[in-house]
């Protein structure tokens, strides 16, 4: 299994890294601990035959034009993206339901019904994105500091406008909504997209992430792959194999091997070894890499001290259902949406964020819901539905906001919280619970069992808050794919820019390895 590069982990970032390296003529071997490639991008009939569920992630707004994964042209290897009639809906008990449609006139007209002028404000926000999208995409997807992208952005605006734009980018979502929109409904749409990205409405940068999600939804939609999330993985693997790369599943890596202070390969759990002639790339979370796969003596003490302070994102709790019919939302707009957000208003989102911060299971959880019949009829029999919802819960549970559940995720706690999620849907879709054919629950521990990289269901690879972004990700002073151990590169979502199916951490790690090989050939070591 020796190769120019050994990639640990066949998640999407690992497979993107392997493809980028293969495009540059490197021989690549990918080693995956699970029996199936894909990491969190996999599908299975979790509940009953004929209903295809996505095991972890399900829709991919960041796999958009300009992202590293988009640049791999996976359509040539069988990947086909599908879209729902409506991208996103956010209904509430008062009957209102702001939406995002890929037709901007429809989105704007919907928002104008709540407050005249909000449609124009929405158009302004989208225009701001489209005007700066080339620079912002490079800022998002390229290694930090992105000098060229930053220079391009700085020179594209007059100094005063640049200052205004910088202020806009760091606004909390609550404040951004108050400044931009007249209606609570439009503000709810923005704040929901911010919490979708794991940021409270009052957090610095939450406005930026909410705005990005809204703009991606408007311009690109929230696409899903035909045939399930596994279709993305299948296309990445097929492309890699067409370039001569190999993927070995069921091969857990136990240790990164070193020689003369440099990573030279890996040792597998069965005692075997795989030598890397040029580089080792790790699509695993940063704490796992630095505290388990790399020997303590191979890293500076300061890095080990910093990794102890690594800040995870919140844990995740997901329920999949098979249903006898689509969810009967009271709001017609929600019935056409591929994705539905559920929270009454911005204040309700703040309450959820506060409960999570205090270690409490949310009393009324904020739900992200997917309706697969809206996008992909191949996922379920005609007239039926395959649906899912996930929400965040504390990594360490100290109590229950409603005072009903325990702190250990016992079987009763799991059933009780799943029922709480179903009650939230039932309130806005009477009759939903009568349609349930079967249910599959993935607890925080279940996420980690499915994919050890998802510590307690931390789907972002670490918090997206400012103190762990840019040069603070994964620890202060790095901000790039190269690790303190020469020849070893972090290719997971613990690296800049974080989670989401865009492939940037993997692509950045591959480019770093290629650049270092060209500038530092290490001829003596390789001889």
């Amino acid at each position: 299994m020796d190769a120019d590069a050994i990639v640990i982990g066949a998640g999407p970032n690992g497979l993107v890294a392997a493809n980028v390296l293969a495009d540059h003529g490197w021989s690549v071997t990918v080693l995956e601990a699970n029996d199936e490639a894909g990491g969190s991008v996999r599908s299975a009939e979790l509940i009953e035959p004929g209903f295809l569920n996505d095991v972890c992630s399900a829709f991919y707004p960041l796999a958009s034009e300009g992202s590293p994964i988009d640049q791999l042209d996976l359509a040539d290897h069988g990947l086909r993206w599908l879209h729902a009639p409506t991208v996103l809906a956010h209904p509430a008990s008062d009957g209102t339901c702001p939406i995002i449609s890929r037709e901007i006139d429809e989105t704007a007209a919907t928002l104008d019904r709540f407050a005249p002028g909000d449609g124009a404000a929405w158009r302004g926000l989208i225009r701001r994105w489209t005007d700066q999208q080339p620079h912002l995409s490079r800022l998002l997807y390229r290694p930090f500091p992105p000098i060229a992208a930053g220079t391009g952005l700085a020179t594209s605006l007059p100094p005063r406008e640049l200052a205004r734009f910088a202020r806009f980018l760091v606004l909390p979502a609550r404040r951004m909504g108050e400044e931009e929109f007249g209606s609570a409904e439009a503000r709810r749409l923005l704040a929901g997209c911010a919490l979708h990205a794991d940021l409270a409405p009052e957090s610095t940068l939450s406005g930026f992430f909410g705005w990005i999600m809204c703009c991606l939804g408007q311009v690109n939609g929230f696409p899903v792959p035909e045939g399930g999330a596994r279709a993305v993985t299948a296309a990445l693997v097929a492309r890699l194999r067409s370039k001569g790369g190999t993927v070995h599943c069921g091969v857990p890596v136990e240790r990164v091997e070193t020689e003369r202070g440099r990573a030279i390969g890996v040792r597998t759990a069965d005692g075997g070894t795989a030598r890397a002639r040029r580089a080792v790339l790790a699509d695993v979370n940063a704490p796992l890499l630095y505290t388990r796969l790399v020997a303590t003596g191979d890293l500076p003490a300061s890095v080990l001290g910093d990794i102890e302070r690594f800040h995870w994102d919140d844990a995740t709790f997901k329920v999949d259902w098979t249903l006898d019919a689509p969810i009967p939302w009271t709001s017609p707009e929600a019935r056409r949406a591929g994705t539905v957000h559920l929270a009454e208003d911005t204040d309700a989102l703040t309450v959820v964020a506060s409960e999570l911060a205090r270690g409490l299971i949310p009393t009324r959880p904020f739900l992200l819901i997917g309706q697969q019949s809206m996008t992909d009829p191949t996922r379920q029999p005609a007239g039926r539905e395959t649906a899912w919802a996930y929400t965040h819960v504390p990594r360490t549970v100290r109590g229950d906001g409603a005072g009903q559940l325990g702190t250990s995720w016992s079987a009763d706690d799991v059933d009780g919280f799943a029922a709480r999620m179903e009650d939230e849907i039932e309130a806005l879709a009477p009759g939903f619970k009568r349609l349930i054919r079967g249910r599959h629950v993935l607890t925080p521990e279940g996420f980690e069992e499915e994919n050890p990289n998802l510590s307690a269901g931390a789907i972002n690879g670490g918090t997206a808050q400012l103190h762990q972004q840019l040069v603070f990700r994964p620890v202060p002073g790095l901000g790039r794919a190269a690790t303190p151990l020469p020849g070893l590169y972090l290719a997971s979502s613990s690296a800049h820019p974080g989670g989401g199916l865009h492939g940037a951490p993997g692509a950045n790690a591959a480019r770093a390895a290629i650049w270092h090989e060209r500038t530092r050939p290490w001829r003596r070591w390789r001889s």
Side-chain angles (χ1 to χ4, degrees), residues 1 97 310 393:
M1 293 192 293
C97 186
F310 186 84
V393 293

mmCIF file of all heavy atoms in Angstrom, residues 1 97 310 393:
data_model
loop_
_atom_site.group_PDB
_atom_site.id
_atom_site.type_symbol
_atom_site.label_atom_id
_atom_site.label_comp_id
_atom_site.label_asym_id
_atom_site.label_seq_id
_atom_site.Cartn_x
_atom_site.Cartn_y
_atom_site.Cartn_z
ATOM 1 N N MET A 1 0.817 -1.213 0.000
ATOM 2 C CA MET A 1 0.000 0.000 0.000
ATOM 3 C C MET A 1 0.853 1.265 0.000
ATOM 4 O O MET A 1 0.346 2.356 0.192
ATOM 5 C CB MET A 1 -0.936 0.008 1.204
ATOM 6 C CG MET A 1 -2.013 -1.077 1.166
ATOM 7 S SD MET A 1 -3.321 -0.852 2.388
ATOM 8 C CE MET A 1 -2.399 -1.118 3.910
ATOM 9 N N CYS A 97 -44.883 32.108 6.787
ATOM 10 C CA CYS A 97 -43.869 31.162 6.321
ATOM 11 C C CYS A 97 -42.973 31.829 5.283
ATOM 12 O O CYS A 97 -43.207 31.716 4.071
ATOM 13 C CB CYS A 97 -44.525 29.913 5.731
ATOM 14 S SG CYS A 97 -43.347 28.613 5.283
ATOM 15 N N PHE A 310 -9.325 22.883 22.580
ATOM 16 C CA PHE A 310 -10.116 22.823 21.346
ATOM 17 C C PHE A 310 -11.601 22.873 21.687
ATOM 18 O O PHE A 310 -12.081 22.147 22.556
ATOM 19 C CB PHE A 310 -9.793 21.535 20.595
ATOM 20 C CG PHE A 310 -10.448 21.428 19.247
ATOM 21 C CD1 PHE A 310 -9.883 22.013 18.129
ATOM 22 C CD2 PHE A 310 -11.635 20.724 19.090
ATOM 23 C CE1 PHE A 310 -10.473 21.895 16.885
ATOM 24 C CE2 PHE A 310 -12.246 20.607 17.857
ATOM 25 C CZ PHE A 310 -11.658 21.193 16.748
ATOM 26 N N VAL A 393 -27.865 19.418 20.631
ATOM 27 C CA VAL A 393 -28.019 19.187 22.065
ATOM 28 C C VAL A 393 -26.652 19.404 22.706
ATOM 29 O O VAL A 393 -25.627 19.430 22.016
ATOM 30 C CB VAL A 393 -28.536 17.757 22.355
ATOM 31 C CG1 VAL A 393 -29.957 17.587 21.845
ATOM 32 C CG2 VAL A 393 -27.619 16.710 21.754
#
